Amino acid sequence: MTLDILKPKIKTIVTQDILSLDERLLKICELLEANVAYYNWVGFYFKNGDKNELKLGPYVGEPTDHTIIPFGKGICGQVAISNENFVVPDVAAQDNYIACSITVKAEIVIPIFVNGENIGQIDIDSNTPDPFTEADERFLEFVCKEVAQLIQ
């Protein structure tokens, strides 16, 4: 399955006004995890009020102890500061990596911008070494833009 096939499904989820924001975000996580074989943990982190930390939002996958992540810590915390995509082909090679599970081999984090401000991110862990391509980055940027429209 190509990632582009999922785009209309993302748009459908986003437009389901009868669902809460968190319900729609969870549906997006479920869609991605179920349809992309190497997306093994899919979740959202959002800036926690005025604090310089991220708070875990809806996700699917193994439970995590990392419900709060300080800015600068781990891949997610680094994206909160850099405002740039971060693709990690091999988490073992990262000095500033927060291990969620011993099975995770790679991670991709894409920021979500609302009115030019980084308000959160989508975080995907993979149990497959180096699975993420430029197509994943572009697709997840699309997902983040759709989510940003929900939050505005």
Side-chain angles (χ1 to χ4, degrees):
M1 171 186 297
T2 67
L3 297 170
D4 285 340
I5 290 172
L6 296 176
K7 286 182 176 181
K9 294 178 182 186
I10 295 290
K11 284 189 172 285
T12 298
I13 292 169
V14 166
T15 58
Q16 292 179 333
D17 294 338
I18 59 168
L19 299 177
S20 71
L21 172 61
D22 279 357
E23 288 171 327
R24 287 185 264 185
L25 293 174
L26 182 59
K27 282 190 168 290
I28 289 170
C29 293
E30 290 168 343
L31 176 75
L32 298 182
E33 192 271 339
N35 288 282
V36 184
Y38 52 94
Y39 286 13
N40 302 112
W41 190 97
V42 180
F44 290 95
Y45 281 93
F46 292 99
K47 189 170 189 290
N48 191 10
D50 291 336
K51 299 176 185 168
N52 284 331
E53 64 185 23
L54 298 165
K55 185 175 183 181
L56 180 62
Y59 73 94
V60 293
E62 291 293 315
T64 179
D65 292 333
H66 305 291
T67 57
I68 299 289
I69 298 176
F71 282 14
K73 187 163 173 58
I75 307 308
C76 292
Q78 290 176 72
V79 170
I81 292 173
S82 73
N83 299 322
E84 295 178 2
N85 298 352
F86 200 154
V87 180
V88 182
D90 178 7
V91 295
Q94 281 295 317
D95 291 338
N96 191 5
Y97 172 70
I98 302 172
C100 293
S101 167
I102 59 168
T103 60
V104 174
K105 303 290 187 239
E107 183 174 10
I108 185 169
V109 179
I110 308 293
I112 301 167
F113 294 99
V114 173
N115 299 322
E117 181 187 353
N118 181 348
I119 57 96
Q121 53 202 228
I122 190 167
D123 176 22
I124 300 177
D125 292 343
S126 180
N127 298 341
T128 304
D130 196 13
F132 303 116
T133 66
E134 187 173 325
D136 291 286
E137 274 194 83
R138 299 298 82 82
F139 171 68
L140 294 171
E141 287 169 351
F142 164 83
V143 171
C144 288
K145 284 177 185 161
E146 292 294 313
V147 168
Q149 291 178 2
L150 272 178
I151 295 170
Q152 283 182 334

